Amino acid sequence: MKKFYSLLKIALKSAWNRRSTLFLIICAIAISTALLLGIEKIRTQVKENFVNSVVGTDLIIGARTSQIQLLLYSVFHIGSATSNMGYETLQKISRDPKVSWVIPVSLGDSHKSFPVVATDENFFKHFRYADRKEIRFRLGNAPAGMFDVAIGSEVAEKLNYRLRQKIHLTHGSVETASAVHDNVSFEISGIMSPTGTPIDRSIIIYLPAMEAIHVNWKGGLPVAGLKLTESQLKQMDLRPKSVTAAFIGLNKRSHTFAMQKAINEYKYESLMAVIPGVAIDELWNILNSGEQVLWITSLLVTVSSLLGLVAVILAGLGQRRRELAILRSVGANPFDIILLMIYEGFIVVIGGVTLGLLTVYTLIYLYARYFAENYGFFITPDLLSVTEIMIICGIFAAGFLASLIPAYKAYRISLSDGLNASI
């Protein structure tokens, strides 16, 4: 054990003497480690975000489009719908004996870049996420009045909003002075608890409120001279004519395919029903090719880094022949020389992997909010998964194998040169 400790000290001193060159190799290994672990973390956490964002919903329906597009704009508020579906049509579907509940969703407006989601009471009763968790409130309650609004935890944190605060909504996703619905003030009735889903960055109102703020709008522009008050709006018939999409829960899961077929073949309107899990799998199949390219690129960077490590150690062996000979003269055997070279390789690999881990966690910490605010994905610097630990073990194993090449070369030199090594 004492000999191993002495060899480790020699390896550390040797690495320190060549720190400038080895630091470049450490940086290369760090980059490859960061790429491999970063890709794995983003891949797994983004997929978890997709899967956890809508649980317990059997079907998502909307105007006919692609499965993925319907999933993205209805659940993640990415992109926009090509057209809406009729509210009366949705009412007919809700009366089907196979349907347990329906959550209508109307999208399009925003508030300071956060999406506004118009729905009804069923959203708070039936919508589930993650392990079938229901929507809860950190402060306040669900909207009660027409112009009440519930906001997500991310909205409250970033905008520093509090209960009973008054806000105005914006027509569309771009906030300009002319697009603000300033004839109606919404009061924050509740701040929802964090969910780790797009709900955290959403502003929830009820469908009549969405209709009310658009009464004096036509063709995407406010009608000049027509500005109704809140009391006047409350007297009007504000039943929606259309909605963007809807989430459907069925009485029995076995009815899913039959109901999907019936909606897709609906004669009076061009509709589409998607099963959330199937749509997520289709999206992931599309992303797989890009993921594989990133993996291959990262592996190539790793291989090139380890080859650089081999090249640096091999290049230095010619200048270290007397050093190795002196070690032999003080009792080191050829296998001690092999162990010394392996130690040096491991020191570099450990440094590279450690720096790579620090880089990954630092980037996640710095850009987690960016991903949440712009894409609705919540990336967290959690503990290493089994797959990530296996990746690190794989890098160490590759580093060990790479170290064997200069170790064997040093072994041959120490045998042939002895004390007569030339420099």
Side-chain angles (χ1 to χ4, degrees):
M1 182 62 70
K2 185 176 180 181
K3 181 187 285 188
F4 291 155
Y5 179 70
S6 299
L7 288 172
L8 180 59
K9 285 178 65 177
I10 294 170
L12 286 169
K13 289 180 179 179
S14 177
W16 179 253
N17 289 332
R18 294 175 293 126
R19 57 187 178 274
S20 299
T21 304
L22 292 182
F23 180 71
L24 296 177
I25 303 299
I26 288 174
C27 289
I29 294 175
I31 291 171
S32 60
T33 302
L35 283 172
L36 287 169
L37 294 180
I39 291 169
E40 178 61 22
K41 276 197 173 294
I42 291 174
R43 183 187 71 84
T44 54
Q45 293 198 27
V46 168
K47 190 169 185 178
E48 286 176 7
N49 271 262
F50 273 103
V51 173
N52 291 336
S53 291
V54 53
V55 175
T57 296
D58 295 306
L59 292 171
I60 301 174
I61 64 174
R64 188 168 295 279
T65 180
S66 69
Q67 284 197 110
I68 295 175
Q69 185 179 6
L70 178 55
L71 174 77
L72 289 178
Y73 72 69
S74 63
V75 178
F76 301 96
H77 313 145
I78 299 174
S80 56
T82 53
S83 60
N84 287 350
M85 63 176 294
Y87 186 70
E88 288 299 324
T89 299
L90 184 61
Q91 293 293 92
K92 290 179 182 177
I93 292 173
S94 68
R95 291 191 287 268
D96 190 290
K98 294 188 285 293
V99 175
S100 174
W101 49 263
V102 172
I103 301 174
V105 172
S106 190
L107 304 168
D109 283 4
S110 64
H111 174 72
K112 298 188 183 302
S113 300
F114 290 103
V116 172
V117 180
T119 183
D120 61 17
E121 293 85 352
N122 281 342
F123 177 81
F124 299 103
K125 290 179 182 178
H126 299 293
F127 190 86
R128 298 292 183 269
Y129 67 95
D131 299 323
R132 292 187 174 274
K133 296 177 182 177
E134 61 184 21
I135 304 298
R136 296 185 180 276
F137 284 83
R138 179 166 59 86
L139 294 170
N141 301 287
M146 180 184 295
F147 298 120
D148 285 348
V149 58
I151 62 175
S153 59
E154 183 78 18
V155 180
E157 182 183 350
K158 184 176 181 183
L159 301 180
N160 196 28
Y161 280 170
R162 60 188 184 278
L163 288 180
R164 306 306 167 195
Q165 185 168 343
K166 299 283 188 178
I167 64 172
H168 292 97
L169 306 184
T170 301
H171 189 80
S173 58
V174 180
E175 182 125 0
T176 60
S178 61
V180 176
H181 295 292
D182 55 3
N183 61 315
V184 174
S185 296
F186 285 84
E187 184 178 277
I188 298 175
S189 66
I191 298 174
M192 293 176 281
S193 299
T195 65
T197 72
I199 294 171
D200 293 349
R201 16 186 350 266
S202 300
I203 295 169
I204 311 296
I205 63 173
Y206 287 148
L207 289 170
M210 179 69 88
E211 293 297 311
I213 59 178
H214 291 100
V215 166
N216 61 331
W217 284 68
K218 190 173 183 179
L221 294 171
V223 178
L226 180 59
K227 196 168 185 178
L228 302 176
T229 63
E230 292 181 14
S231 57
Q232 289 175 316
L233 289 170
K234 289 179 179 179
Q235 304 302 317
M236 299 179 66
D237 180 8
L238 296 173
R239 285 179 297 178
K241 299 178 179 62
S242 64
V243 293
T244 308
F247 303 113
I248 292 181
L250 303 176
N251 291 313
K252 294 182 180 179
R253 297 293 297 275
S254 57
H255 293 153
T256 300
F257 293 106
M259 194 68 194
Q260 182 185 30
K261 185 174 184 292
I263 293 172
N264 288 341
E265 295 176 353
Y266 190 72
K267 292 189 289 185
Y268 305 104
E269 192 172 350
S270 182
L271 299 178
M272 184 177 201
V274 303
I275 302 171
V278 174
I280 290 172
D281 287 341
E282 182 181 337
L283 174 63
W284 226 247
N285 288 334
I286 293 173
L287 295 177
N288 268 344
S289 57
E291 179 188 330
Q292 289 170 2
V293 170
L294 289 174
W295 263 100
I296 292 171
T297 303
S298 302
L299 287 173
L300 290 175
V301 173
T302 305
V303 171
S304 64
S305 303
L306 295 174
L307 289 176
L309 172 63
V310 173
V312 168
I313 296 178
L314 283 176
L317 282 179
Q319 300 173 355
R320 301 175 64 191
R321 296 180 73 171
R322 183 170 294 279
E323 175 190 337
L324 299 177
I326 293 171
L327 288 173
R328 289 295 309 277
S329 71
V330 295
N333 60 51
F335 292 102
D336 292 333
I337 303 301
I338 290 177
L339 191 58
L340 177 64
M341 294 297 107
I342 291 175
Y343 276 164
E344 289 189 13
F346 258 99
I347 289 169
V348 175
V349 174
I350 289 171
V353 170
T354 303
L355 184 58
L357 281 169
L358 290 173
T359 301
V360 168
Y361 280 99
T362 301
L363 290 175
I364 290 175
Y365 178 78
L366 292 175
Y367 288 97
R369 181 181 290 273
Y370 173 82
F371 277 102
E373 292 176 357
N374 291 276
Y375 302 103
F377 300 139
F378 294 83
I379 311 297
T380 56
D382 54 3
L383 296 176
L384 293 173
S385 66
V386 174
T387 303
E388 291 161 354
I389 292 173
M390 290 176 63
I391 290 172
I392 292 173
C393 290
I395 294 173
F396 278 121
F400 171 74
L401 294 175
S403 299
L404 289 178
I405 299 173
Y408 178 72
K409 180 72 173 176
Y411 167 80
R412 296 293 301 271
I413 290 174
S414 68
L415 280 179
S416 62
D417 285 356
L419 290 176
N420 298 317
S422 60
I423 54 174

